[in-house]
């Protein structure tokens, strides 16, 4: 049995490779990649010559069967995408799942990813975040998705293309409010790298003056508005959480944090009201 290596590759700067990545690319029998022209650039830079197999979003099941067959015959294969980590808004996920199902050893060679790099440089709370990736192309569906995330408390990370950026920012501004903080990370690790830290309103104005070019990752703070509710409503929400199966202590913790109350006060009122 061979082995499948999931390899992270640079998101721009070709020097963002690890020694282990280069060793792996040098030792494998094949490299499975998205666009051979992109991968050849990286390989040429490090003078690596390997047979390439193209595998992309529209690859058929037969292509996966062929790659899995090579692995079962004992070949070692590196899986790369055009940039960053395979499987993260990139092809690879299905191949990895099928390799795991077939009990083929799978190992990760970690590398750069635009989402985590943008989060790290954003200056926005990174203690807990949601990776959303690309929003739907169609306006209606996109707005629906943005609406669903209106009360998301955690920081959110999105990928966006330059020609949709302004429209997406405007939708976010309209649905989430103009003051929400955002970091727009553009062309990270490349010559024209820039990070715009602003409110949604300021970001829209900036890009209307400076038409977006290049690759963009958006990091946006979660909903910070304080919810208002009567004690009665809060206690009912605690009860609903407990009834939905959430650990009792956790339910008090969640609601106390949400409404900025002391957990012990909430607990006391709850016992008085529900005697449970
Ligand atoms: N697999 C990749 C990863 O791990 O980051 C993401 C692939 S996805 C098809 C490509 C998107 O990632 C771009 O449209 C952009 O939103 C974001 N991206 C990639 N490189 C970037 C960079 N250098 N700076 C900012 N965003 C980038």
């Amino acid at each position: 049995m061979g082995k499948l290596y999931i390899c992270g590759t640079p998101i721009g700067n070709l020097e963002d490779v690890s020694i282990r990545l280069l060793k792996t690319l040098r030792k494998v029998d094949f490299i499975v990649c998205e666009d051979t022209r992109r991968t050849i650039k990286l390989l040429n830079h490090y003078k690596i010559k390997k047979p390439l197999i193209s595998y992309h979003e529209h690859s058929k099941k037969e292509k996966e069967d062929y790659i899995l067959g090579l692995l079962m015959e004992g070949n070692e294969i590196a899986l790369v995408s055009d940039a960053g980590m395979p499987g993260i808004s990139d092809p690879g996920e299905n191949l990895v799942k099928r390799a795991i199902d077939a009990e083929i050893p799978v190992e990760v060679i970690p590398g750069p990813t635009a989402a985590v790099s943008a989060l790290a440089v954003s200056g926005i709370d990174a203690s807990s975040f949601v990776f959303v990736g690309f929003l739907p192309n169609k306006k209606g569906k996109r707005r629906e998705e943005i609406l669903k995330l209106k009360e998301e408390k955690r920081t959110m990370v999105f990928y966006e293309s330059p020609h949709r950026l302004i429209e997406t920012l405007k939708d976010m501004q309209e649905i989430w409010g103009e003051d929400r903080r955002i970091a727009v990370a553009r062309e990270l690790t490349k010559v024209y790298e820039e990070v715009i830290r602003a409110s949604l309103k300021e970001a829209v104005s900036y890009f209307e003056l400076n038409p977006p070019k290049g690759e963009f990752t958006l990091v946006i703070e979660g909903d910070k508005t304080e919810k208002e509710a009567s004690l009665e409503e809060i206690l009912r929400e605690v009860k609903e959480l407990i009834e939905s199966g959430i650990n009792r202590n956790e339910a008090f913790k969640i609601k106390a944090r949400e409404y900025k109350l002391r957990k012990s006060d909430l607990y006391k009122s709850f016992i008085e009201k529900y005697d449970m």
Side-chain angles (χ1 to χ4, degrees):
M1 195 68 96
K3 195 185 254 189
L4 180 64
Y5 295 94
I6 308 160
C7 301
T9 57
I11 56 168
N13 190 324
L14 290 184
E15 292 187 2
D16 289 335
V17 293
S18 66
I19 293 169
R20 191 160 163 244
L21 171 73
L22 295 179
K23 274 189 184 166
T24 306
L25 294 178
R26 283 191 179 115
K27 78 169 184 182
V28 291
D29 301 294
F30 297 92
I31 298 176
V32 168
C33 64
E34 221 181 324
D35 181 343
T36 50
R37 290 162 303 181
R38 278 290 288 265
T39 302
I40 278 176
K41 274 192 195 151
L42 175 72
L43 298 182
N44 285 347
H45 191 83
Y46 291 101
K47 301 189 173 44
I48 298 171
K49 266 195 171 212
K50 280 290 154 179
L52 299 181
I53 302 171
S54 86
Y55 171 77
H56 44 78
E57 224 184 323
H58 307 293
S59 288
K60 300 232 163 30
K61 187 177 165 287
E62 290 81 63
K63 193 51 142 328
E64 283 177 6
D65 293 342
Y66 169 66
I67 299 166
L68 291 170
L70 289 173
L71 287 161
M72 283 179 196
E73 283 166 16
N75 291 291
E76 293 206 319
I77 295 184
L79 167 68
V80 302
S81 63
D82 282 353
M85 288 303 293
I88 307 301
S89 297
D90 258 351
E93 193 180 330
N94 209 48
L95 183 65
V96 171
K97 273 193 195 135
R98 289 191 63 195
I100 293 168
D101 289 346
E103 296 185 8
I104 294 165
V106 176
E107 214 172 287
V108 68
I109 312 292
T113 183
V116 174
S117 308
L119 182 66
V121 78
S122 68
I124 293 177
D125 178 16
S127 59
S128 178
F129 68 95
V130 185
F131 172 65
V132 185
F134 288 102
L135 285 164
N137 278 335
K138 294 223 170 84
K139 192 173 174 68
K141 288 251 172 265
R142 186 175 66 236
R143 287 176 64 90
E144 211 175 280
E145 215 43 54
I146 294 174
L147 189 62
K148 272 195 219 151
L149 292 165
K150 190 171 191 299
E151 290 181 19
E152 175 57 62
K153 301 270 175 227
R154 292 165 292 181
T155 295
M156 293 167 279
V157 184
F158 298 84
Y159 288 156
E160 192 48 287
S161 75
H163 62 270
R164 258 197 324 263
L165 180 75
I166 295 183
E167 234 185 292
T168 297
L169 291 176
K170 280 185 174 167
D171 284 341
M172 289 173 169
Q173 177 187 348
E174 191 187 318
I175 297 170
W176 296 342
E178 55 187 36
D179 296 330
R180 204 64 93 89
R181 303 302 298 170
I182 183 170
V184 183
R186 167 176 178 249
E187 294 281 273
L188 289 176
T189 78
K190 304 190 213 175
V191 179
Y192 296 107
E193 166 165 356
E194 100 184 293
V195 182
I196 289 109
R197 301 177 183 85
S199 66
L200 279 171
K201 186 181 178 189
E202 290 161 347
V204 169
S205 312
Y206 179 87
F207 287 109
E208 279 178 336
L209 282 175
N210 305 278
K213 277 194 210 113
E215 298 199 278
F216 290 88
T217 298
L218 319 179
V219 180
I220 307 175
E221 75 174 3
D223 175 24
K224 296 278 178 285
T225 51
E226 276 173 32
K227 261 171 91 181
E228 276 187 25
S230 65
L231 182 61
E232 186 97 346
E233 282 166 339
I234 300 171
L235 294 176
R236 191 170 30 78
E237 287 179 20
V238 175
K239 188 163 170 275
E240 279 168 8
L241 277 186
I242 295 171
E243 284 168 354
S244 74
I246 285 192
N247 170 290
R248 204 178 152 82
N249 191 40
E250 195 55 31
F252 285 109
K253 216 153 99 188
I254 292 171
K255 290 296 158 186
R257 196 184 315 128
E258 189 173 327
Y259 291 104
K260 302 219 171 352
L261 297 169
R262 275 178 35 188
K263 197 175 109 191
S264 53
D265 292 343
L266 199 55
Y267 183 76
K268 208 166 140 230
S269 310
F270 188 84
I271 299 291
E272 275 165 16
K273 180 162 173 66
Y274 291 114
D275 194 22
M276 64 182 270

